Amino acid sequence: DSYDPEGRVFIHRDGSLGLAWSLGMKDTEIMGPEDLGALAARFSEFFKLLPAGSAGQFILGAERNIEEALGAFRNVGGASSSTLESLFEAHAQMLRTLSIPHGGPRFTGRTLELTFTLRIFPDLGSGEHSLRETYAREKTRLLEVASAIEGFFTQLPLLNQRLGADELVGLLYKKLNPRRAKETGPRHYRDDLPIRDQVVRSALRFDYDTGLIDCEGLHSKVLSMVQIPLETSPGMLSRPARAGVGLLDLIPEATLVLNFKVLDDSEMRTRFEKRDAFAWRQLQGPRKKLEVVKIKEESEAALDSLQNGERALALRFHVVLSDPSPERLQEQARKARRGRSFFR
């Protein structure tokens, strides 16, 4: 686990190369279905920029502790008059104590932080000369992809900043050592230690009966999507059209993780062509089974999507809940399951 400051590239133990970005967000609260759909359609173009075999994550963290954000905002202004200082403190106090009930959930002040990571898995070969040569070539290709990604985010527009070692170590240390991070403050990158040894400083305990993870007295539980919904719509997690209550409305503090892998287009086309041919042969008999008809329809739809330039992705979605109280944590998990039946 090392770091190349030229390009801000992270090198993993298995030889894979990674990049990370901090992203801004768009306010979609007042967007209608058509505008939200147009934004989702535009964002789907993003995956066409990524190489086959690459993997990535979108990580959205929501926290009720807003002191760090308020402190950063205060420091940006520098010296100010006593009048402005008192106005800022009054506004900050309002955000700290904000609590508005609305349709069941209670809205409170919180911070949202969005991170995107990308990872590729090249074969760097063996031998020092071959390794250096291959690494330089793969790094150049990765940075070309990074430039395209940043251009896309800028046009969307979304604020984006590629993370260096200091930022990533600070982010991971805070997540993996919740109590220690509060006591010791931010952690900075050291080039004489592997990154994993700098960020993993606390022991974890896992309870197989409850599914809870204990880290320094903070309990966490991971809920995973066990099946892809039959129908999807833009904003179905954050602002569903029918229920009207988003996942983060039910659970004010959580980490949402979308993992994806970009599959090879030609391999997926061959796979769906075989499924389509199998279904066609099965449907030649006098009795047509509904499940075979469904296989053929899904295969044809997937082939049409690939023909139109869409990318095939393998997806995993997780919600990470945390609370010092195991009882409150289990109640949060029950709320999430009731609100979204595809979580387990």
Side-chain angles (χ1 to χ4, degrees):
D1 298 357
S2 56
Y3 173 65
D4 184 349
E6 295 183 6
R8 300 189 175 187
V9 178
F10 297 91
I11 302 97
H12 299 262
R13 296 179 68 185
D14 60 358
S16 60
L17 310 180
L19 297 170
W21 287 265
S22 174
L23 301 181
M25 286 164 271
K26 294 186 74 69
D27 187 356
T28 60
E29 290 287 327
I30 60 174
M31 277 190 176
E34 291 185 1
D35 292 334
L36 199 58
L39 178 62
R42 189 175 177 188
F43 197 81
S44 66
E45 298 293 314
F46 167 75
F47 296 101
K48 297 180 181 180
L49 303 175
L50 308 182
S54 62
Q57 290 181 315
F58 286 96
I59 307 169
L60 176 63
E63 290 187 10
R64 279 181 170 169
N65 184 357
I66 63 174
E67 292 302 325
E68 185 176 342
L70 291 176
F73 186 70
R74 181 188 289 107
N75 294 335
V76 169
S80 60
S81 67
S82 58
T83 302
L84 291 177
E85 183 68 22
S86 61
L87 286 174
F88 176 84
E89 287 302 328
H91 186 69
Q93 183 62 19
M94 181 273 292
L95 292 175
R96 292 187 189 101
T97 59
L98 181 69
S99 180
I100 304 174
H102 178 72
R106 183 174 292 273
F107 292 91
T108 60
R110 60 181 172 178
T111 59
L112 298 175
E113 189 174 50
L114 180 61
T115 306
F116 169 64
T117 68
L118 179 68
R119 192 173 175 185
I120 62 171
F121 303 86
D123 182 3
L124 297 180
S126 59
E128 181 178 349
H129 177 74
S130 173
L131 190 149
R132 289 181 180 274
E133 188 177 77
T134 308
Y135 169 74
R137 182 172 61 251
E138 295 295 340
K139 174 187 168 182
T140 299
R141 292 175 179 173
L142 177 61
L143 294 181
E144 289 173 353
V145 173
S147 179
I149 289 173
E150 290 165 358
F152 176 86
F153 286 144
T154 301
Q155 292 176 10
L156 202 53
L158 282 182
L159 294 175
N160 61 92
Q161 179 183 357
R162 198 182 306 180
L163 298 182
D166 254 0
E167 294 92 347
L168 187 66
V169 166
L171 178 65
L172 293 176
Y173 186 80
K174 179 182 174 182
K175 292 290 185 184
L176 299 175
N177 311 273
R179 187 181 65 189
R180 193 185 300 257
K182 292 180 181 178
E183 296 173 351
T184 63
R187 175 71 61 139
H188 299 286
Y189 170 72
R190 293 174 52 184
D191 59 9
D192 59 332
L193 285 176
I195 291 178
R196 63 183 181 277
D197 292 338
Q198 300 179 49
V199 300
V200 180
R201 309 296 295 174
S202 303
L204 299 178
R205 291 187 299 171
F206 179 72
D207 189 321
Y208 286 92
D209 295 327
T210 62
L212 300 186
I213 303 169
D214 180 7
C215 180
E216 298 184 332
L218 182 68
H219 301 276
S220 299
K221 189 177 184 68
V222 181
L223 304 180
S224 299
M225 181 177 67
V226 294
Q227 62 182 23
I228 297 176
L230 295 177
E231 295 181 359
T232 60
S233 60
M236 63 180 296
L237 290 173
S238 59
R239 187 65 59 189
R242 296 179 182 176
V245 178
L247 184 61
L248 288 178
D249 297 332
L250 292 172
I251 311 164
E253 286 190 294
T255 301
L256 277 57
V257 182
L258 175 66
N259 295 328
F260 68 86
K261 180 179 180 181
V262 182
L263 304 176
D264 184 86
D265 291 342
S266 60
E267 291 181 3
M268 296 306 299
R269 188 175 293 107
T270 300
R271 181 184 302 180
F272 284 117
E273 286 173 348
K274 290 181 178 178
R275 291 187 64 185
D276 186 56
F278 165 79
W280 183 85
R281 289 193 298 269
Q282 294 296 314
L283 292 173
Q284 298 312 300
R287 300 182 63 183
K288 295 179 174 56
K289 296 182 180 180
L290 291 178
E291 57 268 26
V292 178
V293 174
K294 188 176 180 180
I295 290 175
K296 183 167 179 57
E297 291 175 348
E298 291 177 348
S299 300
E300 290 176 345
L303 287 169
D304 287 342
S305 296
L306 290 171
Q307 186 67 29
N308 292 329
E310 296 184 26
R311 303 301 298 270
L313 305 174
L315 298 175
R316 295 290 185 272
F317 184 74
H318 311 279
V319 177
V320 184
L321 308 174
S322 299
D323 198 286
S325 167
E327 293 76 18
R328 287 198 302 265
L329 181 58
Q330 295 289 27
E331 178 58 29
Q332 290 179 21
R334 284 190 286 270
K335 284 183 180 179
R337 291 193 184 101
R338 286 197 299 266
R340 302 293 179 270
S341 59
F342 46 80
F343 284 129
R344 289 294 183 271

